[in-house]
Amino acid sequence: MTSVGRATWLCFSLCLVVVLLPCEGRNSQSLHVRLPHGGWLIGRHLTTHNGQPMRAFMGVPYAEPPLGELRFRPPVAASAWQGERLAVKDAPICLQRDPFRRDTLIEGSEDCLYLNVYTPGSRSRINASLPVMVWFHGGGWQCGSGISSFYGPDFLLDHDIVLVSANFRLGPLGFLSTETLDCPGNNGLKDQVEVLRWVRSNIEAFGGDPGSVTVFGESAGGASVTYHMLSPKSRGLLHRGIAQSGTYFNPWAQPAHKGVAAGRAEKLAKLVGCGGGDSSWEEKLKCLRQRPADDIVASLYDMFVWDFDPMIPFPPVIEPDHEGAFLTVPPRQALQPHGLELPLMIGATAEEGLLKTAALLNLPQLMAEFKSQFGQVLPVVLNYDHHDEGVQRRITQRIESFYFKQGHDYSKANHQNLTDLISDGWFVAGIDEYMRLRLNQPQDAVVAPTYVYLFDHKGAASFSEIFKGERNEFYGACHAEELQYLFPIGRELFVSAVPTPQDLQLRQLMLQLWVSFARTGNPNPTNASFSLPTWRPAYSYPVEYARLGTKMDAEDAEEAASLLRLESSLMQQRVDFWSELQAHLPATSRAHNEL
């Protein structure tokens, strides 16, 4: 090659590099987002389950690390930064121990207040800002996370939305309370408020609409949704709610009567060597802030009375009245919370109680203790052991006569009454009470539509496996069962399960229902890929609701194809029992929002 030829080739090569550089994935401008404070985030490219491009911005700080002096204090908004910040991987989960899996492992980090944002990869066909869906995970406010390996965007981002998932402090690090201004409590819920404030301030930069925010969650995440529809601190930060298997009326989610939270804080301080003598709360908290976080989280298991009950030793609390308080009034005293004005989708699974009974049915020693100590254990399990012994006995007798008319039978083949008891006591009764709050308002009250569902599906895999059930036995639609149809949880939890055709159809249906509700406040899709009956909101009792899924075998094609059926009188006899039981409790207990 001549010198002229070499020069020509070099010139062509340089021009080619200049042309190609803007197309290189690492430098794609679509993955650069500038936040209002001036700093930049650099995200990553991912694809959805169906191969659609999406942008992911992961490990984004929304609050300062709650370390040292910030431990046991409300969140402090994250500081601004200059220049670029890489946001391409999950942050650590919040420090935790998982009693639902009966784990001894302590995992996570105290530096965990981060969120993930997922958006469609191409905006060329979208002219308006997208609805935003903010996910708060379950786990009893003591375990779980918002990371992508569990609550990833793979399914939801096949639709045009912006998805936000977040970590928040858990267990004693998130919910310890002295019931004084020294440490009022509810810091995990205040973390969630900080997430919603971050969304309001920043989501427009990602193509999201800050005026169209749907908060959704399951179990404690569902109860969190209802708390945000109650607390004045959250007013205006959300516009719709989806409460899956949880409300603040569930006994595990209710603030305990006065003195319980402070007593548990005192016990924790002693367990980690911070409770000596007549030291003040100020001194105890100073000591607790210096103790290893692992030691504090480990103490969670010392709070249980029998097995892993009471289910949540550190629930939300009623705070002393102060400027930063999230909750100062028992929920039953807040007769018209601002959330009445917001559309709500709310529901449960058909056998929620398998969260507990799966272990009872498969751990013989645990069942033997439960049977032999039924009168002492049931008040602890169902959170009414704070009553005097006479009241406890009367409640237990009424429960026995209602659920075990033919005597106790705890066999796997005949577990339904026991599972129904736990389902109702832990979940269904509290969900029903929240629906009654919305549906029994005065005629002049402004109440947005309430859409009710019951998830009742037999899939290829069941969460009862996670809670110590047998892998190849189907007990019913377990607590958390619906999550695998909204998120790609199955790839982590159920690696040997192959989804059935009905599973795939149900996933497609549920995604359309959830996304449609997030867009409009109405779950009925305008462009459904199914022929669906119209799901109407509930306005009165008996409650109209949608039953999602089928328990028929796959070969029964005609029945299995009907994955949304409209019904009424949701577990009416059972919820009436609990409503009547609640009404006959001592007035002081009702005032304190307890079973």
Side-chain angles (χ1 to χ4, degrees):
M1 182 180 291
T2 66
S3 59
V4 173
R6 285 196 297 271
T8 302
W9 174 250
L10 178 61
C11 181
F12 173 79
S13 299
L14 289 173
C15 290
L16 184 64
V17 169
V18 171
V19 170
L20 291 179
L21 268 177
C23 299
E24 189 179 353
R26 289 172 55 119
N27 297 301
S28 172
Q29 291 306 303
S30 69
L31 298 178
H32 289 61
V33 169
R34 189 176 188 182
L35 299 183
H37 62 63
W40 290 81
L41 285 173
I42 302 177
R44 65 183 296 179
H45 170 78
L46 297 174
T47 55
T48 69
H49 182 73
N50 287 335
Q52 296 296 316
M54 60 179 165
R55 301 182 300 162
F57 301 86
M58 304 162 72
V60 180
Y62 68 86
E64 292 295 304
L67 309 174
E69 283 301 306
L70 293 183
R71 183 186 285 175
F72 303 126
R73 297 191 192 278
V76 175
S79 301
W81 63 84
Q82 294 182 339
E84 297 177 342
R85 181 186 178 101
L86 206 58
V88 296
K89 64 179 182 179
D90 283 313
I93 66 176
C94 286
L95 201 63
Q96 60 188 264
R97 205 171 184 184
D98 187 348
F100 302 108
R101 296 199 199 190
R102 302 171 180 267
D103 283 349
T104 57
L105 177 69
I106 296 173
E107 57 182 338
S109 169
E110 199 174 5
D111 179 3
C112 63
L113 299 186
Y114 301 86
L115 55 79
N116 294 348
V117 181
Y118 308 98
T119 80
S122 173
R123 295 295 312 281
S124 60
R125 68 185 187 279
I126 304 169
N127 297 318
S129 296
L130 297 177
V132 182
M133 299 183 73
V134 179
W135 172 254
F136 290 138
H137 66 80
W141 295 302
Q142 53 198 351
C143 59
S145 73
I147 62 175
S148 62
S149 60
F150 259 61
Y151 299 115
D154 305 45
F155 300 160
L156 282 163
L157 262 293
D158 275 323
H159 300 266
D160 290 331
I161 62 159
V162 173
L163 175 65
V164 178
S165 61
N167 293 336
F168 47 88
R169 282 173 286 178
L170 303 166
L173 292 173
F175 289 88
L176 182 135
S177 172
T178 64
E179 300 185 52
T180 67
L181 293 178
D182 301 279
C183 180
N186 293 329
N187 288 322
L189 288 169
K190 293 171 185 176
D191 291 344
Q192 294 179 3
V193 175
E194 197 61 43
V195 170
L196 297 178
R197 289 174 178 156
W198 187 95
V199 168
R200 180 179 60 185
S201 300
N202 296 280
I203 207 64
E204 196 168 5
F206 299 86
D209 182 356
S212 179
V213 176
T214 298
V215 179
F216 68 131
E218 184 269 343
S219 195
S224 296
V225 171
T226 61
Y227 270 119
H228 290 298
M229 297 175 79
L230 169 66
S231 173
K233 291 297 181 184
S234 306
R235 188 179 190 118
L237 298 176
L238 68 159
H239 309 94
R240 286 167 291 280
I242 304 176
Q244 302 171 213
S245 300
T247 77
Y248 54 58
F249 285 138
N250 293 118
W252 45 264
Q254 295 175 18
H257 62 287
K258 189 172 179 60
V260 170
R264 288 173 181 165
E266 182 77 49
K267 181 176 180 179
L268 183 146
K270 290 180 180 178
L271 286 168
V272 299
C274 291
D278 297 325
S279 55
S280 65
W281 279 123
E282 182 181 6
E283 293 169 314
K284 291 171 185 172
L285 287 165
K286 181 178 179 180
C287 177
L288 284 168
R289 290 188 175 104
Q290 296 171 349
R291 287 288 185 266
D294 283 27
D295 292 352
I296 293 172
V297 173
S299 70
L300 173 71
Y301 278 25
D302 293 299
M303 301 292 166
F304 296 119
V305 177
W306 178 80
D307 190 40
F308 289 102
D309 294 294
M311 180 166 55
I312 302 179
F314 293 97
V317 296
I318 305 300
E319 302 175 52
D321 195 5
H322 66 283
E323 184 178 352
F326 179 84
L327 184 68
T328 59
V329 177
R332 285 198 179 95
Q333 294 181 13
L335 300 180
Q336 290 188 314
H338 69 87
L340 293 177
E341 303 170 6
L342 307 180
L344 176 70
M345 192 159 77
I346 187 170
T349 68
E351 282 84 24
E352 296 274 9
L354 287 167
L355 174 62
K356 185 70 179 181
T357 58
L360 286 171
L361 295 170
N362 287 281
L363 301 178
Q365 181 58 40
L366 186 65
M367 177 61 89
E369 291 180 15
F370 183 78
K371 291 167 67 174
S372 65
Q373 304 174 43
F374 185 80
Q376 294 75 43
V377 165
L378 195 66
V380 176
V381 173
L382 295 184
N383 294 73
Y384 61 90
D385 57 320
H386 56 277
H387 291 295
D388 64 53
E389 291 185 2
V391 173
Q392 289 185 44
R393 281 196 301 271
R394 289 196 295 274
I395 294 174
T396 302
Q397 288 167 0
R398 294 190 66 178
I399 288 173
E400 281 189 287
S401 65
F402 183 81
Y403 286 93
F404 303 108
K405 295 181 178 68
Q406 307 302 320
H408 295 226
D409 185 338
Y410 300 125
S411 66
K412 290 184 183 181
N414 192 21
H415 69 88
Q416 194 67 47
N417 283 359
L418 178 60
T419 297
D420 287 348
L421 164 58
I422 304 298
S423 295
D424 299 347
W426 272 5
F427 297 100
V428 176
I431 293 169
D432 176 74
E433 184 174 356
Y434 193 79
M435 291 191 300
R436 290 177 191 268
L437 170 69
R438 290 179 66 91
L439 302 184
N440 292 340
Q441 288 293 317
Q443 288 188 349
D444 59 346
V446 177
V447 181
T450 305
Y451 293 89
V452 183
Y453 72 86
L454 180 71
F455 182 91
D456 192 17
H457 183 68
K458 179 182 180 181
S462 173
F463 263 76
S464 60
E465 300 175 26
I466 308 303
F467 306 131
K468 302 302 180 184
E470 289 291 334
R471 176 170 296 182
N472 294 319
E473 292 191 33
F474 179 71
Y475 306 100
C478 180
H479 181 68
E481 200 87 309
E482 83 281 15
L483 294 179
Q484 59 187 305
Y485 301 90
L486 300 173
F487 299 99
I489 286 179
R491 69 186 179 197
E492 294 288 330
L493 296 181
F494 310 121
V495 294
S496 61
V498 179
T500 68
Q502 287 70 36
D503 289 345
L504 299 178
Q505 291 175 359
L506 182 59
R507 178 202 297 167
Q508 186 178 355
L509 168 64
M510 289 181 60
L511 291 169
Q512 291 184 11
L513 297 173
W514 262 243
V515 168
S516 178
F517 182 83
R519 286 192 183 122
T520 66
N522 183 333
N524 293 285
T526 55
N527 56 346
S529 55
F530 295 83
S531 176
L532 298 173
T534 300
W535 181 2
R536 295 180 296 272
Y539 289 108
S540 61
Y541 278 75
V543 170
E544 292 185 79
Y545 67 97
R547 184 181 292 266
L548 304 178
T550 178
K551 288 182 177 175
M552 301 298 293
D553 292 330
E555 56 265 22
D556 192 339
E558 182 178 353
E559 180 66 25
S562 179
L563 296 174
L564 189 155
R565 303 180 302 284
L566 302 179
E567 300 180 6
S568 62
S569 302
L570 179 62
M571 303 176 186
Q572 196 66 52
Q573 187 177 11
R574 288 157 54 185
V575 297
D576 286 347
F577 167 78
W578 287 92
S579 181
E580 182 184 357
L581 183 63
Q582 179 72 45
H584 285 84
L585 289 177
T588 53
S589 294
R590 295 198 302 274
H592 283 292
N593 201 42
E594 301 162 1
L595 174 65

